[in-house]
């Protein structure tokens, strides 16, 4: 859904004559470089949990394999995804508005 909204916004902005790359660079990139990998990693970890149900490890029951996969998922979420999302939230609140004002402030003040 966010990708669709960003695409719609960039397409709409380009139809009015603004640069979609400039808008993307000012409004999405500062926090997106942390948020997008976090989304991809969490999705991959969830898919791996589902794959464990279909193909459990040899010598383990489905429950044991799923529990091991759940523990791996929790390590990824707590150790990698959560810090990435916290950094992305900080960037979105502190850095992105400042970058947007520096880059886009002159465009809308004409």
């Amino acid at each position: 859904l966010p990708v669709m909204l960003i695409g719609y916004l960039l397409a709409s902005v380009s139809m009015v004559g603004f640069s979609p790359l400039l808008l993307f660079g000012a409004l999405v990139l500062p926090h997106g470089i942390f948020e997008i990998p976090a989304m991809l990693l969490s999705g991959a970890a969830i898919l791996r949990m589902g794959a464990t149900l279909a193909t459990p490890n040899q010598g383990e029951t489905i429950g044991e394999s799923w529990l091991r996969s759940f523990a791996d998922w929790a390590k990824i979420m707590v150790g990698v995804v959560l810090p990435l999302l916290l950094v992305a939230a900080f960037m979105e609140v502190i850095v992105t508005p400042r970058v947007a004002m520096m880059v886009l402030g002159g465009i809308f003040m004409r």
Side-chain angles (χ1 to χ4, degrees):
L1 182 64
V3 173
M4 182 183 72
L5 292 173
I6 290 170
Y8 175 76
L9 176 68
L10 294 179
S12 298
V13 165
S14 70
M15 285 196 278
V16 216
F18 293 129
S19 169
L21 290 177
L22 183 66
L23 191 71
F24 182 78
L27 298 178
V28 177
L29 275 185
H31 66 278
I33 58 175
F34 299 103
E35 197 170 33
I36 294 169
M39 289 188 313
L40 293 174
L41 286 171
S42 65
I46 291 169
L47 284 174
R48 185 170 184 266
M49 282 182 64
T52 301
L53 290 175
T55 57
N57 296 332
Q58 287 185 343
E60 291 183 346
T61 65
I62 292 177
E64 291 170 340
S65 292
W66 191 80
L67 189 58
R68 184 179 313 279
S69 179
F70 181 75
D72 291 341
W73 173 83
K75 286 185 232 177
I76 291 170
M77 294 306 267
V78 172
V80 180
V81 173
L82 186 61
L84 280 173
L85 288 177
L86 289 173
V87 170
F90 174 78
M91 296 291 283
E92 191 167 1
V93 170
I94 303 297
V95 176
T96 300
R98 291 180 182 175
V99 171
M101 287 302 293
M102 285 189 310
V103 172
L104 301 174
I107 292 174
F108 296 112
M109 298 297 178
R110 292 181 195 178

